[in-house]
Amino acid sequence: MNGKPLGVGLQAGSSGRWRLWARAIALASKMVDSQYVLPNDVGLALLDCSEAFRLLLRSERLYAHYLSRACWYGGLVVLLQTSPEAPAIYVLLSRLFRAQDPDQLGELARSTGLTDQEYQAFLVYAAGVFSNMGNYKSFGDTKFVPNLPKDKLRQLIWQSQAFQEQPEEMESLWDRCGELMFSLDPQQRQLGLREKGITTYFSGNCCLEDAQLAQKFLDSQNISAYNTRLFKEKDKAGQTCYEVRLASVLSTDAPVDHELAPKLRTFEFEGCTFRVTRGDYAPLLERVVENLQRTKTHAANTNQEHMLEHYIRSFTQGSIAAHKEGSRCWIRDKGPIVESYIGFIESYRDPYGSRGEFEGFVAVVNKAMSAKFAQLVESAEQLLLELPWPRAFEKDTFLTPDFTSLDVLTFAGSGIPAGINIPNYDDIRQTEGFKNVSLGNVLSVAYATQKDKLTFLTEEDKDLYIKWKGPSFEVQVGLHELLGHGSGKLFVQEEKGTCNFDREAVINPETGELIQSWYQGGETWDSKFSTIASSYEECRAECVGLYLCLNKDVLRIFELEGEDAEDVIYINWLNMVRAGLLGLEFYTPETGTWRQAHMQARFVILRVLLEAGEGLVSLQHTTGADGKPDALITLDRNKILPVGKPAIERFLRRLQVLKSTADVAGGRALYGRFSAVTDEGPERFLSLRDTVLLRKEARKMFVQANTRLEGEDVTLVQYEGTAAGLIRSFSERFPEDAELLERHLLELSDADAHFWASQG
């Protein structure tokens, strides 16, 4: 592999194919809608972990270093999971900035006629691609394009040092991604299936019916979708043939272990052929495995060693079963100083909701905040009894989890959350447990807000919001992760007929009758509820947070009492209803779809609280001081307990009952009703969406550090919290093998390009 010429993957044939495709979907030049560009003043912040890293022992620093390397290599997989053009855009930008630092390229830009604003727009675009691992926002799934004229960017690239050194390569890269980089063809404005958007989890000819059929096939063979992609073709006889491709280092032809042997073959299923193969992302996962092997040398205990061994097998063979075993070891590794998780984890960006995006994080425990979360865990069993569903709808045994506050050292993937509850495997979560983490250094910078940028609140509320947003969000994250995602039972009948519930005794509290439905062996929450699963579950967890934050014992754990506690409750609820309004940014009227699970969930909660009536929540159309449309949302704090709490209680119980009983039809009907966005009065949500878009603030991007081996120890290299700093961090992230990685990305992208060549 190392002996191939650098230009492999960019030969004339493939370049011509990409050029024809790009021209076919290119749009006429026009003004770019602001929702598809990142503003020049987008927030950027350094994710500081220097103090936490300094306190680590040398062995812990080495463990963190090699794990971080594994995460960063694996994070490149996301480019191939996002859009057909994302790998080429990444390589183009990477080569530009490896040849010239942002400051040096800026001098050249000015000399070629770019204004300072135009060059800053280019830096922000490049930072956005690196931060989101692609050209679609990780939070909202909309495309973003460079906010400068295409011909000016092309001119800059042609004058660049990278172009002078490799003119044919750079021109070929531009040919394959230049048009697509700027294109806002309606189908390309967001991620989605077939006519609703772009996705590389499925070939371009797949629709929702293909995804549903594939899920039925996967369930029939007990194959997890988490590490797969689906490609649809016709064979010579015209019969539909699907390839289910597993992510792995080894190819289908390599020796197969006993677990995968029966699955890596061809099946006939409902009149179609399904061929299960493996080897997706192989050269990238090979780097992941190499660094996990190095990490093992510095493991602190046998749980960590076994965890890494299972991960290595999972990524080598393509085995989700092995990843589950690794996750079990990870759960048993209680209270590590260096915490981590890696794999195909969250399914938010799969349009069908079953396939996991690669992510990996490495973080260091914040002991002071972790002590508060430990108290919350101690209270968890008692708090679970307060949730508004019968005891039979709760897990048989509460499996005490780890709950720690962490300072992130590395988070590779498309975006960084504030908190995590993992693993996502239902069978493990229900019977063996999970872990919760709150990402402290993310919380401290991500949600810092300036008063003049706070929208849709009264001036009085803005002052309280700024004071209490941080503490209230810590409470909400803690409850959301531990008792939201950590609560509730799924009723399951295994293949042998045994049930984890008493069919003659469990009563549905909504009907007063015995429950009528449940999960069959092999079915999971994601596979049953598919397209709504992620958002529905986030909504359930958010409701738990709202409901339990009213408990004064919970607030005392976070050292909140008296008037302070009342203010935190108020701001937590106010933040939720405001977030519901802001969520309208992530709704696409043209397709009637939501693009972000959490924001859809918050909009649903806003609708529930508006429907509760009695003046609890008020939402008004107004005109701002600038003469443009505005809005004002208010919450009557005196009605949170008498009106808000019963409304959330009723809704939360319905969510849990439908989830526990696998009532997909009921769940879709309920969630669909509250997710609907219309222009009916009095709220007129479609009109409010225009106002939200007019006044939206771009989501912050994080600049992360690099770790560097120096002799027998590891040093931390941090960068300034600017677009240029973020770009520099990526330019220095792969010092030994950047060119080889770029070649791998282009080869992998080229190999599958034909699956999207006709799309658009």
Side-chain angles (χ1 to χ4, degrees), residues 207-356:
C207 60
L208 181 60
E209 289 72 21
D210 295 303
Q212 291 169 335
L213 178 62
Q215 189 63 57
K216 286 176 66 178
F217 164 73
L218 292 171
D219 289 344
S220 74
Q221 298 300 320
N222 199 23
I223 298 173
S224 170
Y226 270 119
N227 65 341
T228 70
R229 291 197 288 170
L230 185 71
F231 302 95
K232 174 184 173 183
E233 293 186 289
K234 296 283 187 181
D235 63 17
K236 292 179 181 178
Q239 184 182 15
T240 299
C241 180
Y242 296 96
E243 178 192 0
V244 175
R245 190 188 303 166
L246 312 182
S248 68
V249 175
L250 296 179
S251 68
T252 308
D253 297 333
V256 184
D257 67 9
H258 68 280
E259 177 227 333
L260 285 171
K263 298 175 181 179
L264 290 176
R265 62 185 183 86
T266 299
F267 300 81
E268 295 301 319
F269 184 80
E270 296 196 5
C272 299
T273 300
F274 279 85
R275 187 164 54 94
V276 182
T277 67
R278 65 178 178 178
D280 216 359
Y281 325 118
L284 302 178
L285 292 177
E286 188 174 357
R287 296 293 183 280
V288 173
V289 166
E290 287 170 359
N291 282 279
L292 291 178
Q293 288 169 333
R294 295 181 182 120
T295 306
K296 265 183 64 182
T297 309
H298 307 285
N301 54 55
T302 54
N303 275 326
Q304 289 181 1
E305 288 177 11
H306 293 155
M307 170 189 79
L308 293 165
E309 287 168 0
H310 290 304
Y311 289 166
I312 288 167
R313 178 171 161 260
S314 173
F315 299 137
T316 301
Q317 296 282 346
S319 168
I320 289 296
H323 195 269
K324 285 185 174 183
E325 287 303 316
S327 298
R328 290 182 172 101
C329 296
W330 178 71
I331 292 167
R332 290 194 289 269
D333 185 27
K334 302 285 188 182
I337 299 299
V338 178
E339 186 60 282
S340 67
Y341 199 58
I342 187 171
F344 296 88
I345 312 300
E346 302 292 356
S347 58
Y348 299 125
R349 298 182 93 195
D350 169 16
Y352 191 67
S354 295
R355 288 152 190 81

Side-chain angles (χ1 to χ4, degrees), residues 533-547:
S534 292
S535 184
Y536 187 112
E537 174 59 13
E538 294 304 331
C539 187
R540 195 183 68 87
E542 292 283 47
C543 287
V544 168
L546 285 182
Y547 190 71

Side-chain angles (χ1 to χ4, degrees), residues 379-400:
S379 306
E381 285 191 83
Q382 190 60 39
L383 291 171
L384 284 171
L385 298 175
E386 296 193 19
L387 292 174
W389 48 76
R391 181 68 187 86
F393 283 72
E394 192 49 69
K395 296 186 186 79
D396 299 335
T397 306
F398 178 70
L399 303 160
T400 306

Side-chain angles (χ1 to χ4, degrees), residues 531-576:
T531 53
I532 67 164
S534 292
S535 184
Y536 187 112
E537 174 59 13
E538 294 304 331
C539 187
R540 195 183 68 87
E542 292 283 47
C543 287
V544 168
L546 285 182
Y547 190 71
L548 291 180
C549 82
L550 301 171
N551 184 304
K552 298 300 172 61
D553 291 335
V554 167
L555 296 176
R556 273 190 284 273
I557 291 171
F558 290 88
E559 300 172 1
L560 297 163
E561 297 192 68
E563 187 178 342
D564 289 353
E566 296 297 332
D567 284 345
V568 162
I569 290 170
Y570 175 61
I571 293 304
N572 195 36
W573 280 63
L574 180 66
N575 181 54
M576 188 63 68

Side-chain angles (χ1 to χ4, degrees), residues 82 151 153 203 253 369 386 404 448 525 584-585 606 643 678:
T82 300
D151 59 338
L153 178 54
S203 56
D253 297 333
M369 181 53 71
E386 296 193 19
T404 50
W525 161 249
L584 287 167
E585 175 190 345
L606 169 61
V643 181
T678 72

